[in-house]
Amino acid sequence: MVKTSVLHQPHLLIPHEDHSQQTQESISLKLKEQECMSLSKKCSSLKELKQVHCHIVKFGLFCSSLCSSNLLLSCVQSSWGSMDYACSIFNQIDDPGCFEFNMMIRGYVRDMDFDEALFLYHQMLDMEVVPDNFTYPFLLKACARLRDVKKGVQIHGHVFKYGYEDDVFVQNSLINFYGKCGELRECCCVFEKMEQRSVASWSALIAAHARNGLWVECVGSFRDMIREGCWRPEESILVSVLSACTNLGDYNTGQCTHGNLIRNMCGHNVVVETSLLDMYLKCGYLKKGLYLFDSMVEKNHLTYSVMISGLATHGCGAEALVVFSKMLKEGLEPDDVVYVGVLTACSHAGLVEEGLQLFNRIKNEHMIEPTIQHYGCLVDLLGRAGRLDEALQVIKNMPMEPNDVVWRSLLGACKTFSNIQLGEIAAEKLMQMKLINASDFLVLSHIYAEARRWKDVAITRTKMAESGLTQTPGFSFVEVKKKIYKFVSQDMAWPQCNGVYDMLHQMEWQLKFEGYSADTSQVLLDVDEEEKMERLSRRSQKLAIAFALIHTSEGSPIRIHGQNVSELLVHVGLVMPASPNVTANRLESSGNRKSRKQHSLGPAIIRVAYQS
DNA sequence: TTAGGGTTAG
């Protein structure tokens, strides 16, 4: 279709009524002014805008604020607009006012030229042009993007000076600015002082908490928002809240959010559904995740990425590779993160040859330069398969300096395959990097203990103490009847301990009957087998399971949590929900128990397996 | 007479 230029509509430019000489001239000018304004709005390209600009100049109308302002507006707000051209229009305006400055500031912010936007603001003040309530949201956005607290605080001062502290748009911009800069105290302070809040105010606050990892506060703000009746199911809010639920392992709120979504949101939304999928998978609900994944109308590369990593974490390596093939068939290009998921899947499922082939495809087929994470996966893949020398060769030949994660991965593999020599090399590297932790020392002493080199065990323990590192006893939380209970390994002082230890013995007897024998080599002490068995039975997860078996009914679910999540929840008095898909006497492992994380795969939720 | 806030997922 050939587009007709706005200038090829002559009726728009010609005045048609007949009046007395003076009135006629005035009306004619007015009409021309209105028509030029109308033409500015109708422009669909910079070329057309330039033509309209010519006509405005030709009719002597550029001094009309109506014409020049609308021309500038059109140039700044259109997708085809140009700040260079906007600048030439602006420079031709004799006496630019607040609106013109606002438009220029807005344009610079849109073009990510934040310093220029702030410079223009100061020029505006120098020219004694008084800013208005529209000026500040643009400026605060610039400061937020720059993460420049100092400049933003100055602007906040100007907001007070010019009396716009009660403008809801300015306040929302301030919440966003402080949130993006990590200044949560100021962020909440602005929010608290607001007399009227919009959905955007809540959205900015919720996003600020989520962005800064304040997951409990994020979910709390979401609940407050619903309580105050200021609720609208919006993508950004739902995604922030789901992200918080995922990190907290708060399946209950996550599921309620899903319910809200079904009731209030029209149709499917790939972004929200992908967040939901991530929440289900990281909370341990693989079946629900798979159901959601299959029912999704639209899937993008992030959806596939979440599903692949989720399957990998749950120990379903082969299934993860099927999803990866499906992704490629859909024509979606994998990125570096997808490949981390794919390699993790291979690593956890022992698919060594497939993993090696896939590693080569990263660069050869998809032109992605392998990152240190990919090399880490490769070391892990070979290490888990017992190909320790090859893993060391990968470390030696990788194009970047190996980090602690890579050496730790090799150290872990050395423990699995009892390789003292390489284990010592890996531990030494970690020491040289000054990144060795208590767990690394313990792994090394485990390697020595297995070889019954008790002297080296003692030396390693001494080195650990000399490094100021101490072994903190493991602890687990279990949720029973909406209350969370904490169990510390080897702790005999718990009030309910009699019942718990009776149950532990019952569990052990039943496991023995099923043919399970405990691996006492995990106990690094030079004590007899009976003592080792006793120590194993007092691990915090087992204590928690025993307690839950006593206090829950047959078939009800048991969820055990690691310290990171539950400590936080206990602190704020939140309780974790029960999961409906795990039965108490048939717990499933959420993946290969020997698996170690190469990258963050979610909260520290442990689904404990005590079957052999 | 024109303009402003929240963009979140692996």
Side-chain angles (χ1 to χ4, degrees), chain A residues 4-63:
Chain A
T4 314
S5 164
V6 286
L7 296 177
H8 296 152
Q9 300 171 34
H11 62 282
L12 288 174
L13 299 171
I14 299 164
H16 3 279
E17 285 180 43
D18 198 10
H19 292 270
S20 68
Q21 186 69 28
Q22 205 181 4
T23 328
Q24 200 175 3
E25 272 178 19
S26 158
I27 288 173
S28 165
L29 201 69
K30 203 80 196 157
L31 278 172
K32 276 180 190 162
E33 195 179 43
Q34 280 177 1
E35 281 156 3
C36 285
M37 208 174 81
S38 167
L39 286 171
S40 298
K41 287 178 189 167
K42 286 179 181 172
C43 290
S44 59
S45 67
L46 188 60
K47 194 182 167 192
E48 280 189 359
L49 187 103
K50 285 178 180 175
Q51 287 176 319
V52 175
H53 189 183
C54 287
H55 279 262
I56 289 173
V57 173
K58 191 176 154 191
F59 288 125
L61 289 167
F62 194 80
C63 54

Side-chain angles (χ1 to χ4, degrees), chain A residues 197-379:
Chain A
R197 292 161 187 151
S198 64
V199 177
S201 320
W202 287 100
S203 171
L205 184 76
I206 289 168
H209 284 138
R211 198 179 296 118
N212 289 281
L214 296 167
W215 313 118
V216 174
E217 290 80 357
C218 179
V219 174
S221 303
F222 177 60
R223 287 184 182 145
D224 290 343
M225 182 181 80
I226 294 172
R227 205 175 299 127
E228 288 196 14
C230 194
W231 160 240
R232 206 165 59 205
E234 292 199 358
E235 187 182 294
S236 65
I237 296 173
L238 289 169
V239 171
S240 294
V241 173
L242 281 169
S243 160
C245 294
T246 306
N247 282 281
L248 285 171
D250 188 353
Y251 168 75
N252 195 30
T253 309
Q255 204 186 27
C256 289
T257 312
H258 191 183
N260 248 317
L261 196 74
I262 295 166
R263 285 192 299 275
N264 299 310
M265 253 187 143
C266 305
H268 291 267
N269 180 311
V270 67
V271 181
V272 179
E273 284 181 331
T274 302
S275 304
L276 203 53
L277 178 67
D278 194 35
M279 187 276 293
Y280 279 132
L281 294 173
K282 284 189 180 151
C283 285
Y285 294 85
L286 181 61
K287 275 186 191 169
K288 284 199 171 207
L290 283 168
Y291 181 79
L292 175 65
F293 182 75
D294 289 336
S295 65
M296 283 174 75
V297 176
E298 188 192 342
K299 296 182 187 96
N300 59 24
H301 88 282
L302 286 176
T303 319
Y304 278 98
S305 183
V306 167
M307 194 67 237
I308 291 165
S309 296
L311 284 164
T313 320
H314 283 84
C316 306
E319 291 83 350
L321 295 190
V322 170
V323 173
F324 179 62
S325 302
K326 209 174 156 196
M327 176 184 180
L328 297 181
K329 269 187 198 159
E330 295 277 326
L332 292 165
E333 193 65 19
D335 64 9
D336 58 330
V337 186
V338 172
Y339 262 110
V340 170
V342 169
L343 293 175
T344 307
C346 294
S347 184
H348 290 190
L351 303 166
V352 186
E353 292 312 317
E354 290 87 340
L356 292 173
Q357 280 174 16
L358 283 159
F359 184 85
N360 290 327
R361 283 170 67 184
I362 301 176
K363 193 170 185 177
N364 299 341
E365 212 172 295
H366 298 287
M367 314 302 164
I368 301 166
E369 202 56 53
T371 66
I372 196 154
Q373 277 197 307
H374 298 122
Y375 282 98
C377 289
L378 195 57
V379 170

